[in-house]
Amino acid sequence: MSNNFDVVWVNVSPSLKHFDLPLQQYLNKYFRIARWEYIQDNFDEYNCIETAVELLYDFFLKSELHQVHLIGHGISGVVALLFAQKYPWRISTLTLLAVSPQPAKTWHVHYYTQRNLSLDASRQEILMNIAGRLFGNHKIPHPIHSLLAALNKDLYISPCMHSLFKIIDLPKGEVSVPLMVCGSNTDTIVSKFNITNWKTYFKAKDILWLCPDGHHFFHYFYPDKVGKQINNFWQKNSYK
């Protein structure tokens, strides 16, 4: 390869990036990983997810990146997916963690839906409920007040398309590059039933893999299991 990286890990939720670290550390033993981070600085910006995609493309241009593996979790995976659909010649594979085939259906949708349905519930109460769905019966790795603060911050600084007034959809569809989709059997945000619908868009060698447990942040709790599967996929599809 003509660049210094094999992988670009997309992160547009910097307040939650801690949950990516165990898997990044596992994969970094086999591949050189660049971590690309985006923070929205204009909360009134329309279609800011498209801005994130274009800034990611600028990063590829400035870094002279070609044929790297692109990966992202949740809404970061949505940005990676949109990038792969628009600029497929820049990457060799796309790996999505906890991304619905209707890409806009992130945990933020569940938050705004509950806000609209539970008018008497406080913001903190709803975030507490969301935290329970994100982590299930796993021990939350941070003090609850720190986790709720991180989730609250993500509502503001990630390129979330949703609001109390409108839930947005994005176009469904496949990508032309080799695709791996990873989910969890116990995730209630992007459920097993939901994520298996990706098969509708799969090409012959695309892969769906489900972690037995771990809920929405399965890659944090089981980095070795998830990393082994991703490593195999990348090894088979590395640019020669």
Side-chain angles (χ1 to χ4, degrees), residues 106-117 122-124 126-127 130 133 152 155 164 167:
T106 63
W107 73 265
H108 311 80
V109 170
H110 296 265
Y111 168 80
Y112 287 116
T113 300
Q114 287 190 39
R115 283 289 304 273
N116 283 318
L117 293 176
S122 70
R123 187 183 188 92
Q124 286 293 97
I126 293 175
L127 284 174
I130 292 293
R133 296 189 64 181
N152 186 59
L155 289 169
L164 285 172
I167 302 297

Side-chain angles (χ1 to χ4, degrees), residues 36-41 45 48-62 79 83 87:
W36 181 83
E37 189 171 293
Y38 166 80
I39 301 176
Q40 180 187 348
D41 56 8
E45 187 175 359
C48 55
I49 198 165
E50 295 179 1
T51 301
V53 172
E54 293 311 308
L55 288 174
L56 179 57
Y57 181 63
D58 288 344
F59 170 74
F60 268 71
L61 288 178
K62 291 175 182 177
V79 172
F83 181 92
Y87 305 109

Side-chain angles (χ1 to χ4, degrees), residues 9-13 16 20 49 71-81 95-100 103-108 134 154 158 161 182 187 189-190 216-219:
W9 190 298
V10 176
N11 185 280
V12 300
S13 296
L16 302 174
D20 293 338
I49 198 165
I71 181 172
H73 172 268
I75 193 168
S76 302
V78 176
V79 172
L81 170 62
T95 303
L96 303 177
L97 308 172
V99 176
S100 168
K105 294 195 179 300
T106 63
W107 73 265
H108 311 80
L134 290 171
D154 192 57
S158 69
M161 306 139 285
C182 299
D187 189 356
I189 300 297
V190 183
H216 194 63
F217 289 98
F218 59 93
H219 65 306

